[in-house]
Amino acid sequence: MDNKRRNFIRGMALAPLLLGTRNIMAGNYSEPLANNRLQYSVNAFSFNSALRSGEMTFYDMMEFAANIGLDAVDLTGYYFSSYPDPPSNSELFGLKRKALELGLNITWTGIRNNFVNPDAVARKVDSDMIREWLGVSSSLGAMIMRVFTGKYNDDGFSKKEVKEWLIDEYKICAKYGAEKGVIVGLQNHNEFLFTSEEIIDIIVRVNSEWFGLILDIGSLHAENPYDEIEKLAPYANYWFIKEHIFPSGIKTPVDMEKIAAIIKNQGYRGYISFESLSDGDPKQIITSMFSSFKTEYEKLK
């Protein structure tokens, strides 16, 4: 058999395999990614009184989340008895095991910090604490850890000067986050950064893939918070949905239809966390918020 015929037969034999490979590759790369693949969580602060009194534990909170169909829980640092020191690995791993049993993720942790403090030594203490708790977050399997700005009291420094402290500290924290594989997420908290422009400016200037935004819809007190939320939406790594917004500082029930539309239009695919700050049974409030948001969101599909 001459070489030309041998090569022809070999090519015919390989043709189905090559065609199949092309089809597989085409399927992998030409299929559109799932749009708006949302997951849902609940923030521990919703159960602040019960967690602090011992009436409720993280395990109880996780049972509740699984029972109503949530995908995850946010375990806030200061409900661990050791806080501000990190919990033991045995405590963390017990929570991870429980999450696995319930089919939940632990996506978020959060601590308190004050980076607008004029005392550089105090800021360094908080930065070191963040580094420790990023290790806690990593041990839990959490993808993002919340940090604040801190509440500023005018001590003779301009806001521009204080923003430089923030940027410097956040850059350090972002490096720590990269070491642990956890995003450091700034929660806009109506303490020092009050507008979408200020918040975006900080995120852009920190300029790290390990530093992002936890978008808190209830902490924007502009005349039209929905406009502010829409401006921040492209930067959001995580969302906090609360039952109220504050146009011009006035407490007003949230319009879930508007929030759902902003999230849908942005093409966000990630976690939505519900947090209740109201009086009443937080389990009922969270269940209602979850149901209301999903109903409005699914209307948009």
Side-chain angles (χ1 to χ4, degrees):
M1 185 184 297
D2 60 28
N3 286 338
K4 184 180 293 187
R5 181 172 174 78
R6 186 180 296 112
N7 290 339
F8 174 78
I9 293 171
R10 182 182 296 138
M12 291 297 291
L14 289 173
L17 178 60
L18 292 173
L19 287 170
T21 302
R22 283 195 198 97
N23 288 337
I24 291 169
M25 292 179 70
N28 283 347
Y29 291 97
S30 65
E31 290 291 329
L33 295 171
N35 290 326
N36 306 113
R37 185 178 179 276
L38 299 185
Q39 301 281 291
Y40 299 100
S41 188
V42 59
N43 190 273
F45 195 79
S46 302
F47 306 101
N48 179 55
S49 296
L51 288 169
R52 290 197 180 280
S53 68
E55 177 187 345
M56 188 176 188
T57 68
F58 278 151
Y59 289 93
D60 298 324
M61 176 182 155
M62 293 162 80
E63 292 274 5
F64 162 74
N67 287 342
I68 69 168
L70 296 175
D71 305 288
V73 288
D74 302 349
L75 301 187
T76 311
Y78 31 88
Y79 299 118
F80 288 94
S81 60
S82 63
Y83 186 86
D85 295 326
S88 67
N89 279 340
S90 62
E91 185 174 1
L92 298 177
F93 297 162
L95 290 166
K96 285 180 74 173
R97 183 176 179 83
K98 182 66 172 178
L100 177 63
E101 290 172 358
L102 294 171
L104 294 172
N105 291 317
I106 300 171
T107 52
W108 182 101
T109 54
I111 52 86
R112 288 194 182 101
N113 66 288
N114 184 3
F115 282 160
V116 299
N117 189 335
D119 185 345
V121 174
R123 296 200 304 269
K124 175 66 164 57
V125 169
D126 280 2
S127 179
D128 289 343
M129 180 181 66
I130 287 169
R131 187 174 196 172
E132 287 187 317
W133 279 86
L134 283 164
V136 171
S137 303
S138 183
S139 294
L140 280 171
M143 307 166 200
I144 191 165
M145 192 181 93
R146 187 277 312 284
V147 297
F148 288 135
T149 60
K151 193 166 185 176
Y152 179 61
N153 297 313
D154 185 1
D155 288 304
F157 296 92
S158 70
K159 194 160 190 176
K160 182 178 180 181
E161 289 175 297
V162 178
K163 285 181 179 179
E164 295 301 325
W165 306 342
L166 278 180
I167 292 162
D168 289 345
E169 298 294 350
Y170 290 150
K171 284 182 176 180
I172 292 168
C173 291
K175 290 179 182 177
Y176 296 157
E179 291 172 4
K180 299 297 182 181
V182 179
I183 292 172
V184 177
L186 169 62
Q187 181 183 348
N188 58 290
H189 203 240
N190 196 44
E191 293 181 319
F192 178 74
L193 303 173
F194 301 109
T195 68
S196 58
E197 286 78 10
E198 287 184 308
I199 296 161
I200 292 167
D201 177 59
I202 295 296
I203 293 168
V204 169
R205 290 168 68 189
V206 174
N207 189 28
S208 171
E209 63 181 349
W210 294 101
F211 182 80
L213 174 65
I214 296 170
L215 205 171
D216 176 353
I217 71 165
S219 290
L220 294 159
H221 291 198
E223 182 177 352
N224 187 341
Y226 295 104
D227 285 349
E228 295 289 274
I229 293 165
E230 197 157 17
K231 290 174 186 174
L232 289 172
Y235 299 89
N237 299 94
Y238 208 83
W239 283 73
F240 276 179
I241 292 185
K242 298 178 178 177
E243 63 268 69
H244 293 102
I245 59 165
F246 292 84
S248 301
I250 299 169
K251 187 177 180 179
T252 307
V254 67
D255 185 333
M256 285 295 188
E257 183 180 2
K258 285 186 178 179
I259 295 297
I262 290 171
I263 291 171
K264 173 73 174 179
N265 292 340
Q266 182 55 40
Y268 176 76
R269 293 183 299 156
Y271 282 89
I272 304 290
S273 183
F274 298 98
E275 181 181 356
S276 170
L277 305 180
S278 299
D279 294 332
D281 183 349
K283 290 184 178 180
Q284 290 182 0
I285 295 168
I286 293 295
T287 302
S288 176
M289 290 171 67
F290 176 38
S291 175
S292 176
F293 177 84
K294 282 191 72 178
T295 296
E296 295 301 335
Y297 187 81
E298 288 170 3
K299 286 179 184 177
L300 300 171
K301 290 184 177 179

